[in-house]
Amino acid sequence: MCPLLYESVVLDAVLYMKAPKSLPIIGYTARLLQPRYKLLDYLARLQSSRGVKTFEIPSPFVPPTVLINDPACLEYVFREHELFAKGSFFRSRMHDLFGDGILNASGPLWQSQRKAGVNFLSSANVTRFSSETLPPLMEAMHERLTTAAIIHEMVDLQELLLDLMSKFFGLVAYDTVPGADQVRAFDEASAWTDARFTNPLWQFYELFFGQPLQRALEIVKKFGHEVVIKAAEKTRTPGHQSLLDLLLARLPDKETVADAATTFMSAGRDTTAQAMTWTVYELSKSPKVLSTLLTSLEPHSITRDSSTRSPLRTIGLHPRYIKAVFAEALRLNPSVPLNMRETARRCRLPDGTVLQAGTIVAWASYAMARSSAIWGEDAQDFRPERWLSSDENGNSTFVPRSASEYPVFHGGSRVCIGKSMAEAVGCQVLAELVLNWEFELVDKETRKHAGESLTAPMDGGLLVRPRRRVWTDTKA
Ligand code: HEM
């Protein structure tokens, strides 16, 4: 027998295991069609019972798909980014919404957008945005919470945070705040796009029922087009280049710039707002962590008037603990809970699994976070301390984990370029919120889970009753 054929048959048969409880003929189709959070919980259970093995997820309607769980395999995927590409399965589903925007682009178009983005998200800009653009927007949010507190009204904190981030990213990237209709249209288009990944008959379905998607896409595209025209006509401020200026200088036409702009907005706004929402949720369930957080923040805060405190606005001065809280909340509630690549040619994963060209390689950050093989027996617990190590003088250091164990911001050459921005803004807003507000969950009993979207919004929002935090002395 030809050695290549022998390897393919034997290794595929031995190591290419089907995930358990796969049904005959339809395989995993029913599981893929169930609500996203059920699929994620199932994948987490699979990982905790079977460890970090690679599984085939069979479905007759999609290309061969495997789920990888081993950080060594994911490290290989991140390292070999040309072998594990975005692929036609991903791109065809994302194209209507993102066109040739960075998340969907490859080759020179990707490189140009990445350079523009990295340039734009320099640490000087991140500091400027979080110390100049954010504070007035936070003021407006405080006012909204104050009104709610006075009249004992409940608010959807997720909605407020999404609104805050829409305004923030709109201002820093485009000098324009998107309207409510535009934000709603984007959210709707995102949910439809997400459904394309699990509904094998999406083209057929959209032919009959896809009008809402078409309407939403029209609004999103119009917004992208308008901000680009506005930026192209604007007189430049010397020494100050907006994201759009950088994109216009590097990309071939205005349509691609509009796609790129919409993609950047989406990559930053939803992910960061959702991460903050899940962090407040985790804190509200863990009073001990909240109390440690307040104690850690207090020396780094200033009293602005009799009732309001602000965290110091320099990122470097944020105590380690809030960074650990944010990282831990994201670990358990990753903004991109499930991700994928497609093999460009036949290859073998580090665990021996042989993959044919055109195989979808998926991984679930949500499930990996719950794996005791990766995080230890308390993997399921919200424990920010796991990110900190203390020396003999009690000084703590934040100890990052590798991208392949903690793929929340992806890894390799397509690692998220907004990580520092997300951490700076996330920690800033969270510090300001917890220093000034107590949030009582309206529904304490029901476990919250992610809704249907390309990212992980909290389904049903985060309904809270805000109350001013009272600082009686120097301690919380
Ligand atoms: C908590 C917040 C965030 C999380 C969890 C997050 C996560 C991710 C992940 C998982 C990817 C990889 C997507 C893929 O290629 O499959 C990614 C890519 C990206 N992110 Fe973020 N992100 C966050 C915030 C931001 C922010 C604030 C920005 C910018 C303003 C941003 C800009 C980008 C861009 C441009 C890419 C594409 C990179 C490339 O393909 O080369 N992200 N992010």
Short mmCIF file of all heavy atoms in Angstrom, two decimals, residues 253-314:
data_model
loop_
_atom_site.label_atom_id
_atom_site.label_comp_id
_atom_site.label_asym_id
_atom_site.label_seq_id
_atom_site.Cartn_x
_atom_site.Cartn_y
_atom_site.Cartn_z
N ASP A 253 -10.17 51.36 -2.31
CA ASP A 253 -11.38 52.12 -2.65
C ASP A 253 -12.24 52.38 -1.41
O ASP A 253 -12.04 51.75 -0.36
CB ASP A 253 -12.21 51.35 -3.70
CG ASP A 253 -12.50 49.95 -3.21
OD1 ASP A 253 -13.31 49.80 -2.29
OD2 ASP A 253 -11.89 48.98 -3.72
N LYS A 254 -13.19 53.28 -1.56
CA LYS A 254 -14.00 53.71 -0.40
C LYS A 254 -14.89 52.59 0.13
O LYS A 254 -15.21 52.53 1.31
CB LYS A 254 -14.84 54.92 -0.80
CG LYS A 254 -14.00 56.15 -1.06
CD LYS A 254 -14.81 57.43 -0.87
CE LYS A 254 -13.96 58.67 -1.01
NZ LYS A 254 -13.49 58.96 -2.37
N GLU A 255 -15.29 51.70 -0.77
CA GLU A 255 -16.16 50.59 -0.32
C GLU A 255 -15.42 49.69 0.67
O GLU A 255 -15.94 49.29 1.72
CB GLU A 255 -16.62 49.77 -1.52
CG GLU A 255 -17.85 48.93 -1.19
CD GLU A 255 -18.19 48.01 -2.34
OE1 GLU A 255 -17.99 48.41 -3.50
OE2 GLU A 255 -18.62 46.90 -2.07
N THR A 256 -14.15 49.39 0.35
CA THR A 256 -13.35 48.56 1.26
C THR A 256 -13.11 49.31 2.58
O THR A 256 -13.12 48.71 3.65
CB THR A 256 -12.00 48.18 0.62
OG1 THR A 256 -12.24 47.79 -0.73
CG2 THR A 256 -11.33 47.04 1.35
N VAL A 257 -12.91 50.62 2.48
CA VAL A 257 -12.71 51.41 3.71
C VAL A 257 -13.98 51.34 4.57
O VAL A 257 -13.90 51.17 5.80
CB VAL A 257 -12.37 52.89 3.39
CG1 VAL A 257 -12.24 53.70 4.67
CG2 VAL A 257 -11.08 52.97 2.59
N ALA A 258 -15.13 51.43 3.93
CA ALA A 258 -16.40 51.36 4.68
C ALA A 258 -16.53 49.99 5.37
O ALA A 258 -16.91 49.89 6.53
CB ALA A 258 -17.58 51.61 3.75
N ASP A 259 -16.19 48.91 4.64
CA ASP A 259 -16.22 47.56 5.24
C ASP A 259 -15.27 47.48 6.43
O ASP A 259 -15.59 46.94 7.48
CB ASP A 259 -15.79 46.50 4.22
CG ASP A 259 -16.87 46.23 3.18
OD1 ASP A 259 -18.04 46.59 3.44
OD2 ASP A 259 -16.55 45.66 2.12
N ALA A 260 -14.06 48.03 6.21
CA ALA A 260 -13.04 47.97 7.27
C ALA A 260 -13.54 48.73 8.50
O ALA A 260 -13.41 48.26 9.64
CB ALA A 260 -11.74 48.57 6.76
N ALA A 261 -14.13 49.91 8.25
CA ALA A 261 -14.59 50.74 9.37
C ALA A 261 -15.69 50.03 10.16
O ALA A 261 -15.67 49.99 11.39
CB ALA A 261 -15.11 52.06 8.82
N THR A 262 -16.64 49.43 9.46
CA THR A 262 -17.73 48.72 10.13
C THR A 262 -17.17 47.54 10.93
O THR A 262 -17.61 47.27 12.05
CB THR A 262 -18.73 48.17 9.08
OG1 THR A 262 -18.93 49.14 8.10
CG2 THR A 262 -20.05 47.79 9.70
N THR A 263 -16.18 46.86 10.36
CA THR A 263 -15.62 45.71 11.04
C THR A 263 -14.89 46.11 12.33
O THR A 263 -15.04 45.45 13.36
CB THR A 263 -14.63 44.97 10.10
OG1 THR A 263 -15.31 44.71 8.87
CG2 THR A 263 -14.17 43.67 10.69
N PHE A 264 -14.12 47.20 12.26
CA PHE A 264 -13.41 47.65 13.47
C PHE A 264 -14.41 48.00 14.57
O PHE A 264 -14.21 47.68 15.73
CB PHE A 264 -12.54 48.88 13.16
CG PHE A 264 -11.16 48.51 12.72
CD1 PHE A 264 -10.82 48.43 11.38
CD2 PHE A 264 -10.17 48.25 13.66
CE1 PHE A 264 -9.54 48.08 10.98
CE2 PHE A 264 -8.89 47.89 13.27
CZ PHE A 264 -8.57 47.81 11.92
N MET A 265 -15.47 48.67 14.17
CA MET A 265 -16.49 49.07 15.14
C MET A 265 -17.07 47.85 15.83
O MET A 265 -17.20 47.78 17.05
CB MET A 265 -17.60 49.81 14.38
CG MET A 265 -18.77 50.23 15.22
SD MET A 265 -18.32 51.73 16.10
CE MET A 265 -19.86 52.15 16.83
N SER A 266 -17.38 46.85 15.02
CA SER A 266 -17.99 45.64 15.56
C SER A 266 -17.01 44.90 16.45
O SER A 266 -17.33 44.42 17.53
CB SER A 266 -18.42 44.77 14.38
OG SER A 266 -18.22 43.44 14.67
N ALA A 267 -15.73 44.81 15.99
CA ALA A 267 -14.73 44.06 16.75
C ALA A 267 -14.53 44.67 18.13
O ALA A 267 -14.29 43.96 19.10
CB ALA A 267 -13.41 44.03 15.99
N GLY A 268 -14.62 46.00 18.22
CA GLY A 268 -14.33 46.65 19.50
C GLY A 268 -15.53 46.86 20.39
O GLY A 268 -15.48 46.59 21.60
N ARG A 269 -16.63 47.30 19.81
CA ARG A 269 -17.77 47.73 20.63
C ARG A 269 -18.43 46.59 21.38
O ARG A 269 -18.52 46.59 22.61
CB ARG A 269 -18.81 48.40 19.71
CG ARG A 269 -20.09 48.76 20.38
CD ARG A 269 -21.19 49.07 19.37
NE ARG A 269 -21.90 47.87 19.00
CZ ARG A 269 -23.21 47.69 19.19
NH1 ARG A 269 -23.92 48.62 19.75
NH2 ARG A 269 -23.79 46.57 18.81
N ASP A 270 -18.90 45.58 20.65
CA ASP A 270 -19.68 44.51 21.28
C ASP A 270 -18.85 43.73 22.27
O ASP A 270 -19.27 43.48 23.40
CB ASP A 270 -20.19 43.52 20.22
CG ASP A 270 -21.13 44.19 19.25
OD1 ASP A 270 -21.32 45.41 19.38
OD2 ASP A 270 -21.67 43.50 18.37
N THR A 271 -17.65 43.35 21.83
CA THR A 271 -16.79 42.52 22.68
C THR A 271 -16.50 43.19 24.02
O THR A 271 -16.61 42.57 25.07
CB THR A 271 -15.46 42.26 21.96
OG1 THR A 271 -14.96 43.50 21.48
CG2 THR A 271 -15.61 41.29 20.81
N THR A 272 -16.15 44.49 23.97
CA THR A 272 -15.76 45.18 25.20
C THR A 272 -16.97 45.41 26.10
O THR A 272 -16.91 45.18 27.32
CB THR A 272 -15.05 46.52 24.86
OG1 THR A 272 -14.08 46.27 23.85
CG2 THR A 272 -14.36 47.11 26.06
N ALA A 273 -18.08 45.84 25.50
CA ALA A 273 -19.28 46.08 26.32
C ALA A 273 -19.77 44.78 26.95
O ALA A 273 -20.17 44.74 28.12
CB ALA A 273 -20.39 46.70 25.45
N GLN A 274 -19.72 43.70 26.19
CA GLN A 274 -20.18 42.41 26.74
C GLN A 274 -19.25 41.94 27.85
O GLN A 274 -19.69 41.43 28.88
CB GLN A 274 -20.26 41.37 25.63
CG GLN A 274 -21.41 41.63 24.67
CD GLN A 274 -21.23 40.95 23.32
OE1 GLN A 274 -20.36 40.10 23.15
NE2 GLN A 274 -22.06 41.32 22.36
N ALA A 275 -17.94 42.13 27.65
CA ALA A 275 -16.98 41.71 28.69
C ALA A 275 -17.28 42.46 29.99
O ALA A 275 -17.25 41.87 31.07
CB ALA A 275 -15.56 41.99 28.22
N MET A 276 -17.60 43.74 29.89
CA MET A 276 -17.88 44.52 31.11
C MET A 276 -19.18 44.04 31.75
O MET A 276 -19.29 43.94 32.97
CB MET A 276 -17.97 46.01 30.76
CG MET A 276 -16.62 46.58 30.37
SD MET A 276 -16.62 48.35 30.29
CE MET A 276 -17.34 48.67 28.73
N THR A 277 -20.17 43.73 30.91
CA THR A 277 -21.46 43.26 31.45
C THR A 277 -21.27 41.96 32.23
O THR A 277 -21.75 41.82 33.37
CB THR A 277 -22.46 43.01 30.29
OG1 THR A 277 -22.54 44.18 29.50
CG2 THR A 277 -23.83 42.63 30.80
N TRP A 278 -20.52 41.02 31.64
CA TRP A 278 -20.30 39.74 32.33
C TRP A 278 -19.47 39.93 33.60
O TRP A 278 -19.66 39.23 34.60
CB TRP A 278 -19.62 38.74 31.38
CG TRP A 278 -20.54 38.21 30.32
CD1 TRP A 278 -20.56 38.56 29.00
CD2 TRP A 278 -21.60 37.24 30.48
NE1 TRP A 278 -21.55 37.87 28.33
CE2 TRP A 278 -22.19 37.06 29.21
CE3 TRP A 278 -22.09 36.52 31.57
CZ2 TRP A 278 -23.26 36.18 29.00
CZ3 TRP A 278 -23.15 35.64 31.36
CH2 TRP A 278 -23.73 35.48 30.10
N THR A 279 -18.57 40.92 33.58
CA THR A 279 -17.75 41.14 34.78
C THR A 279 -18.64 41.65 35.93
O THR A 279 -18.52 41.16 37.06
CB THR A 279 -16.61 42.15 34.49
OG1 THR A 279 -15.94 41.75 33.31
CG2 THR A 279 -15.63 42.20 35.64
N VAL A 280 -19.53 42.59 35.62
CA VAL A 280 -20.43 43.09 36.68
C VAL A 280 -21.29 41.94 37.20
O VAL A 280 -21.51 41.79 38.41
CB VAL A 280 -21.32 44.24 36.15
CG1 VAL A 280 -22.38 44.63 37.17
CG2 VAL A 280 -20.47 45.45 35.78
N TYR A 281 -21.73 41.09 36.31
CA TYR A 281 -22.55 39.94 36.70
C TYR A 281 -21.77 39.00 37.63
O TYR A 281 -22.25 38.61 38.70
CB TYR A 281 -23.00 39.21 35.43
CG TYR A 281 -23.75 37.92 35.68
CD1 TYR A 281 -24.99 37.93 36.30
CD2 TYR A 281 -23.21 36.70 35.26
CE1 TYR A 281 -25.68 36.74 36.50
CE2 TYR A 281 -23.90 35.52 35.46
CZ TYR A 281 -25.13 35.54 36.09
OH TYR A 281 -25.81 34.36 36.29
N GLU A 282 -20.54 38.67 37.24
CA GLU A 282 -19.73 37.77 38.07
C GLU A 282 -19.48 38.42 39.44
O GLU A 282 -19.54 37.75 40.47
CB GLU A 282 -18.38 37.46 37.39
CG GLU A 282 -18.47 36.63 36.12
CD GLU A 282 -18.90 35.17 36.35
OE1 GLU A 282 -19.03 34.75 37.51
OE2 GLU A 282 -19.10 34.46 35.35
N LEU A 283 -19.21 39.72 39.45
CA LEU A 283 -18.95 40.41 40.72
C LEU A 283 -20.18 40.40 41.61
O LEU A 283 -20.08 40.26 42.83
CB LEU A 283 -18.51 41.86 40.47
CG LEU A 283 -17.09 42.05 39.94
CD1 LEU A 283 -16.86 43.49 39.51
CD2 LEU A 283 -16.05 41.64 40.99
N SER A 284 -21.34 40.54 40.99
CA SER A 284 -22.56 40.59 41.82
C SER A 284 -22.84 39.22 42.45
O SER A 284 -23.54 39.13 43.44
CB SER A 284 -23.75 41.07 40.98
OG SER A 284 -24.05 40.07 40.05
N LYS A 285 -22.26 38.16 41.88
CA LYS A 285 -22.45 36.83 42.48
C LYS A 285 -21.31 36.49 43.45
O LYS A 285 -21.35 35.44 44.09
CB LYS A 285 -22.49 35.77 41.37
CG LYS A 285 -23.73 35.87 40.48
CD LYS A 285 -23.86 34.64 39.61
CE LYS A 285 -22.63 34.47 38.76
NZ LYS A 285 -22.47 33.23 38.08
N SER A 286 -20.29 37.34 43.50
CA SER A 286 -19.12 37.03 44.34
C SER A 286 -18.78 38.21 45.25
O SER A 286 -17.84 38.97 44.97
CB SER A 286 -17.90 36.73 43.47
OG SER A 286 -18.21 35.79 42.50
N PRO A 287 -19.54 38.40 46.34
CA PRO A 287 -19.31 39.57 47.20
C PRO A 287 -17.88 39.66 47.73
O PRO A 287 -17.34 40.75 47.90
CB PRO A 287 -20.30 39.36 48.36
CG PRO A 287 -21.24 38.30 47.93
CD PRO A 287 -20.63 37.54 46.80
N LYS A 288 -17.26 38.48 47.95
CA LYS A 288 -15.89 38.50 48.49
C LYS A 288 -14.92 39.12 47.46
O LYS A 288 -14.09 39.95 47.81
CB LYS A 288 -15.47 37.06 48.82
CG LYS A 288 -14.39 36.99 49.82
CD LYS A 288 -14.31 35.63 50.48
CE LYS A 288 -12.85 35.36 50.85
NZ LYS A 288 -12.19 34.43 49.99
N VAL A 289 -15.08 38.73 46.21
CA VAL A 289 -14.21 39.28 45.16
C VAL A 289 -14.47 40.79 45.04
O VAL A 289 -13.54 41.60 44.93
CB VAL A 289 -14.45 38.58 43.81
CG1 VAL A 289 -13.65 39.24 42.69
CG2 VAL A 289 -14.10 37.10 43.89
N LEU A 290 -15.75 41.17 45.09
CA LEU A 290 -16.09 42.60 44.97
C LEU A 290 -15.43 43.39 46.10
O LEU A 290 -14.86 44.47 45.88
CB LEU A 290 -17.62 42.77 45.00
CG LEU A 290 -18.12 44.21 44.94
CD1 LEU A 290 -17.64 44.92 43.68
CD2 LEU A 290 -19.64 44.27 45.01
N SER A 291 -15.50 42.84 47.32
CA SER A 291 -14.92 43.55 48.46
C SER A 291 -13.39 43.68 48.29
O SER A 291 -12.82 44.75 48.53
CB SER A 291 -15.32 42.78 49.72
OG SER A 291 -14.47 43.06 50.74
N THR A 292 -12.73 42.62 47.84
CA THR A 292 -11.28 42.70 47.60
C THR A 292 -10.99 43.74 46.52
O THR A 292 -10.03 44.51 46.61
CB THR A 292 -10.73 41.32 47.14
OG1 THR A 292 -11.23 40.32 48.01
CG2 THR A 292 -9.22 41.28 47.13
N LEU A 293 -11.84 43.76 45.50
CA LEU A 293 -11.64 44.71 44.41
C LEU A 293 -11.74 46.15 44.94
O LEU A 293 -10.90 47.00 44.63
CB LEU A 293 -12.68 44.46 43.31
CG LEU A 293 -12.67 45.44 42.15
CD1 LEU A 293 -11.34 45.39 41.41
CD2 LEU A 293 -13.80 45.14 41.15
N LEU A 294 -12.77 46.42 45.75
CA LEU A 294 -12.95 47.78 46.27
C LEU A 294 -11.76 48.18 47.13
O LEU A 294 -11.25 49.30 47.03
CB LEU A 294 -14.25 47.86 47.07
CG LEU A 294 -15.52 47.82 46.22
CD1 LEU A 294 -16.76 47.59 47.08
CD2 LEU A 294 -15.67 49.10 45.41
N THR A 295 -11.30 47.25 47.97
CA THR A 295 -10.15 47.56 48.82
C THR A 295 -8.92 47.86 47.96
O THR A 295 -8.14 48.76 48.27
CB THR A 295 -9.85 46.36 49.75
OG1 THR A 295 -11.07 45.97 50.34
CG2 THR A 295 -8.84 46.69 50.81
N SER A 296 -8.77 47.10 46.86
CA SER A 296 -7.60 47.32 46.01
C SER A 296 -7.69 48.64 45.25
O SER A 296 -6.69 49.26 44.92
CB SER A 296 -7.43 46.16 45.03
OG SER A 296 -8.36 46.29 43.98
N LEU A 297 -8.91 49.07 44.94
CA LEU A 297 -9.08 50.28 44.12
C LEU A 297 -8.97 51.56 44.93
O LEU A 297 -8.55 52.59 44.42
CB LEU A 297 -10.47 50.27 43.47
CG LEU A 297 -10.70 49.38 42.26
CD1 LEU A 297 -12.17 49.44 41.86
CD2 LEU A 297 -9.82 49.85 41.09
N GLU A 298 -9.35 51.48 46.20
CA GLU A 298 -9.52 52.71 46.96
C GLU A 298 -8.29 53.62 46.97
O GLU A 298 -8.40 54.81 46.68
CB GLU A 298 -9.99 52.39 48.37
CG GLU A 298 -10.82 53.54 48.89
CD GLU A 298 -10.68 53.69 50.37
OE1 GLU A 298 -10.46 52.66 51.04
OE2 GLU A 298 -10.77 54.83 50.84
N PRO A 299 -7.10 53.07 47.24
CA PRO A 299 -5.94 53.99 47.25
C PRO A 299 -5.65 54.57 45.87
O PRO A 299 -4.92 55.55 45.75
CB PRO A 299 -4.78 53.08 47.68
CG PRO A 299 -5.36 51.78 48.06
CD PRO A 299 -6.73 51.70 47.53
N HIS A 300 -6.23 53.99 44.83
CA HIS A 300 -5.98 54.48 43.47
C HIS A 300 -7.13 55.36 42.97
O HIS A 300 -7.28 55.58 41.79
CB HIS A 300 -5.81 53.31 42.50
CG HIS A 300 -4.64 52.45 42.84
ND1 HIS A 300 -3.40 52.62 42.27
CD2 HIS A 300 -4.52 51.42 43.71
CE1 HIS A 300 -2.56 51.73 42.78
NE2 HIS A 300 -3.22 50.99 43.65
N SER A 301 -7.96 55.79 43.89
CA SER A 301 -9.11 56.59 43.44
C SER A 301 -9.04 57.98 44.07
O SER A 301 -8.35 58.19 45.07
CB SER A 301 -10.42 55.91 43.83
OG SER A 301 -10.56 55.91 45.22
N ILE A 302 -9.76 58.91 43.46
CA ILE A 302 -9.82 60.26 44.04
C ILE A 302 -11.29 60.60 44.30
O ILE A 302 -12.17 60.16 43.57
CB ILE A 302 -9.21 61.32 43.09
CG1 ILE A 302 -9.70 61.09 41.65
CG2 ILE A 302 -7.70 61.30 43.13
CD1 ILE A 302 -9.36 62.22 40.71
N THR A 303 -11.51 61.41 45.34
CA THR A 303 -12.87 61.85 45.61
C THR A 303 -13.10 63.13 44.82
O THR A 303 -12.33 64.08 44.95
CB THR A 303 -13.05 62.13 47.12
OG1 THR A 303 -12.60 60.98 47.81
CG2 THR A 303 -14.50 62.41 47.48
N ARG A 304 -14.12 63.09 43.98
CA ARG A 304 -14.34 64.27 43.12
C ARG A 304 -15.23 65.30 43.78
O ARG A 304 -15.06 66.48 43.65
CB ARG A 304 -14.95 63.84 41.78
CG ARG A 304 -13.89 63.26 40.87
CD ARG A 304 -14.43 63.05 39.52
NE ARG A 304 -15.45 62.02 39.56
CZ ARG A 304 -16.42 61.90 38.71
NH1 ARG A 304 -16.55 62.77 37.75
NH2 ARG A 304 -17.28 60.90 38.80
N ASP A 305 -16.29 64.81 44.47
CA ASP A 305 -17.12 65.71 45.25
C ASP A 305 -17.61 64.88 46.42
O ASP A 305 -17.07 63.79 46.65
CB ASP A 305 -18.28 66.29 44.41
CG ASP A 305 -19.05 65.19 43.71
OD1 ASP A 305 -19.43 64.22 44.39
OD2 ASP A 305 -19.27 65.28 42.49
N SER A 306 -18.63 65.33 47.13
CA SER A 306 -18.99 64.60 48.36
C SER A 306 -19.41 63.16 48.06
O SER A 306 -19.29 62.28 48.90
CB SER A 306 -20.11 65.35 49.08
OG SER A 306 -21.18 65.49 48.18
N SER A 307 -19.91 62.89 46.85
CA SER A 307 -20.46 61.54 46.64
C SER A 307 -19.77 60.74 45.54
O SER A 307 -20.03 59.55 45.39
CB SER A 307 -21.96 61.65 46.31
OG SER A 307 -22.10 62.35 45.11
N THR A 308 -18.92 61.35 44.73
CA THR A 308 -18.41 60.61 43.56
C THR A 308 -16.91 60.34 43.64
O THR A 308 -16.14 61.22 44.03
CB THR A 308 -18.64 61.44 42.27
OG1 THR A 308 -19.72 62.30 42.47
CG2 THR A 308 -18.84 60.56 41.08
N ARG A 309 -16.54 59.14 43.27
CA ARG A 309 -15.12 58.81 43.21
C ARG A 309 -14.73 58.45 41.80
O ARG A 309 -15.52 57.88 41.06
CB ARG A 309 -14.84 57.60 44.10
CG ARG A 309 -14.76 58.01 45.52
CD ARG A 309 -14.52 56.83 46.41
NE ARG A 309 -14.49 57.37 47.75
CZ ARG A 309 -13.52 57.20 48.61
NH1 ARG A 309 -12.50 56.46 48.32
NH2 ARG A 309 -13.57 57.75 49.79
N SER A 310 -13.51 58.73 41.47
CA SER A 310 -13.01 58.34 40.15
C SER A 310 -11.73 57.56 40.29
O SER A 310 -10.89 57.91 41.12
CB SER A 310 -12.69 59.58 39.34
OG SER A 310 -13.80 59.92 38.58
N PRO A 311 -11.56 56.54 39.46
CA PRO A 311 -10.26 55.87 39.48
C PRO A 311 -9.24 56.79 38.83
O PRO A 311 -9.59 57.61 37.99
CB PRO A 311 -10.50 54.63 38.61
CG PRO A 311 -11.67 54.99 37.75
CD PRO A 311 -12.48 56.00 38.48
N LEU A 312 -7.98 56.67 39.22
CA LEU A 312 -6.95 57.44 38.52
C LEU A 312 -6.95 57.00 37.07
O LEU A 312 -7.15 55.82 36.77
CB LEU A 312 -5.60 57.19 39.18
CG LEU A 312 -5.50 57.73 40.60
CD1 LEU A 312 -4.16 57.38 41.21
CD2 LEU A 312 -5.70 59.24 40.64
N ARG A 313 -6.69 57.94 36.19
CA ARG A 313 -6.96 57.63 34.79
C ARG A 313 -5.76 57.08 34.02
O ARG A 313 -5.80 56.93 32.82
CB ARG A 313 -7.49 58.87 34.08
CG ARG A 313 -8.80 59.32 34.66
CD ARG A 313 -9.63 60.07 33.66
NE ARG A 313 -10.79 60.63 34.30
CZ ARG A 313 -11.86 59.95 34.58
NH1 ARG A 313 -11.94 58.67 34.28
NH2 ARG A 313 -12.88 60.51 35.19
N THR A 314 -4.68 56.81 34.72
CA THR A 314 -3.53 56.28 33.98
C THR A 314 -3.56 54.76 34.07
O THR A 314 -3.60 54.20 35.17
CB THR A 314 -2.22 56.80 34.60
OG1 THR A 314 -2.42 58.15 34.92
CG2 THR A 314 -1.07 56.63 33.65
#
